[in-house]
Amino acid sequence: DTEVTQTPKHLVMGMTNKKSLKCEQHMGHRAMYWYKQKAKKPPELMFVYSYEKLSINESVPSRFSPECPNSSLLNLHLHALQPEDSALYLCASSPEFGGGTEAFFGQGTRLTVV
Amino acid sequence: AQTVTQSQPEMSVQEAETVTLSCTYDTSESDYYLFWYKQPPSRQMILVIRQEAYKQQNATENRFSVNFQKAAKSFSLKISDSQLGDAAMYFCAYRKYGGATNKLIFGTGTLLAVQP
């Protein structure tokens, strides 16, 4: 299994809603990532988890809250988002954080905040 | 700080022809990795090819090959016998080897169209 699976694929939420994005991998990877991507732009790193511990937070607003319940799962909890947070949210994983191995990406969740 | 530059926002190629996408980067590191990722309309970022900086030999994956010029800090991607399925956004990316914060740094992307 060489997949990173993200659910849901599409999400529309109001500014007062609470929702969660889910990411799962069964490749035994110990590093997992959340990226935000606007149309025709490169992905922007948000969070990195290494061995289930938060390693990097790229000064992301607190309305985004990551969680890594175990080595296979990564969640992104969303609360009180703004319309400018509408974007494609990509999850990725890699064998480790610190080497030169490539990251494997999921298909993303297209988030629209109304 | 490391930076990655893709100077061609859009490119077009005829089916079965060859196209080269350019990428330059800036780093003071000696050990690093370079990647080309493809992002089709399906949205998933797919690794196309990887190059280790310590290797002089250019990486090749089927119809995809790179021209890695370490001194010039250049890392171009050549796609031979272009196919309709090659149409996508292509991102060049850099990652320093080792360290606690060696993030994947992306270029701004090149949108490749393949004409039938």
Side-chain angles (χ1 to χ4, degrees):
Chain A
D1 184 357
T2 57
E3 281 193 350
V4 175
T5 304
Q6 289 186 245
T7 54
K9 294 212 172 358
H10 301 273
L11 178 62
V12 179
M13 61 184 290
M15 288 188 284
T16 58
N17 291 158
K18 285 185 180 180
K19 296 287 184 183
S20 297
L21 309 184
K22 181 180 173 182
C23 174
E24 194 167 3
Q25 59 87 14
H26 295 287
M27 295 177 279
H29 289 175
R30 304 317 299 265
M32 296 187 76
Y33 312 79
W34 280 114
Y35 286 87
K36 173 183 177 180
Q37 187 180 26
K38 291 283 199 178
K40 296 192 177 182
K41 297 290 186 183
E44 299 173 15
L45 184 65
M46 300 175 72
F47 302 104
V48 178
Y49 272 83
S50 179
Y51 289 86
E52 301 161 50
K53 291 201 171 5
L54 185 63
S55 181
I56 289 180
N57 176 343
E58 291 286 279
S59 302
V60 179
S62 60
R63 56 185 184 269
F64 295 91
S65 176
E67 178 196 21
C68 189
N70 59 56
S71 60
S72 300
L73 279 176
L74 186 66
N75 298 321
L76 186 62
H77 303 297
L78 313 172
H79 173 56
L81 294 193
Q82 302 297 309
E84 58 264 29
D85 296 323
S86 298
L88 179 68
Y89 288 84
L90 292 165
C91 174
S93 71
S94 63
E96 60 178 358
F97 181 58
T101 51
E102 64 268 23
F104 292 78
F105 285 82
Q107 282 194 302
T109 294
R110 176 77 64 193
L111 174 67
T112 303
V113 181
V114 297
Chain B
Q2 295 92 2
T3 58
V4 178
T5 302
Q6 293 179 250
S7 58
Q8 307 152 315
E10 296 184 14
M11 294 279 286
S12 182
V13 64
Q14 291 291 130
E15 200 175 1
E17 297 293 309
T18 295
V19 65
T20 298
L21 308 184
S22 301
C23 173
T24 58
Y25 59 95
D26 188 23
T27 183
S28 58
E29 303 292 332
S30 57
D31 290 333
Y32 52 88
Y33 294 77
L34 296 164
F35 308 90
W36 278 99
Y37 279 91
K38 167 186 176 182
Q39 189 175 36
S42 67
R43 308 176 328 200
Q44 186 168 14
M45 297 276 284
I46 302 165
L47 180 71
V48 175
I49 202 164
R50 181 181 89 157
Q51 175 80 44
E52 293 90 338
Y54 64 85
K55 289 187 178 178
Q56 292 187 338
Q57 187 172 6
N58 290 324
T60 300
E61 286 288 340
N62 300 314
R63 298 181 295 107
F64 298 88
S65 62
V66 298
N67 183 4
F68 173 49
Q69 302 289 328
K70 191 173 183 180
K73 297 179 182 174
S74 171
F75 182 60
S76 60
L77 175 69
K78 185 170 85 170
I79 305 174
S80 305
D81 186 24
S82 296
Q83 301 176 358
L84 295 176
D86 295 332
M89 180 72 91
Y90 286 81
F91 291 101
C92 178
Y94 161 101
R95 169 179 260 165
K96 183 181 78 170
Y97 182 77
T101 58
N102 60 339
K103 300 172 283 190
L104 196 58
I105 299 171
F106 289 94
T108 50
T110 296
L111 184 62
L112 178 66
V114 181
Q115 308 299 331

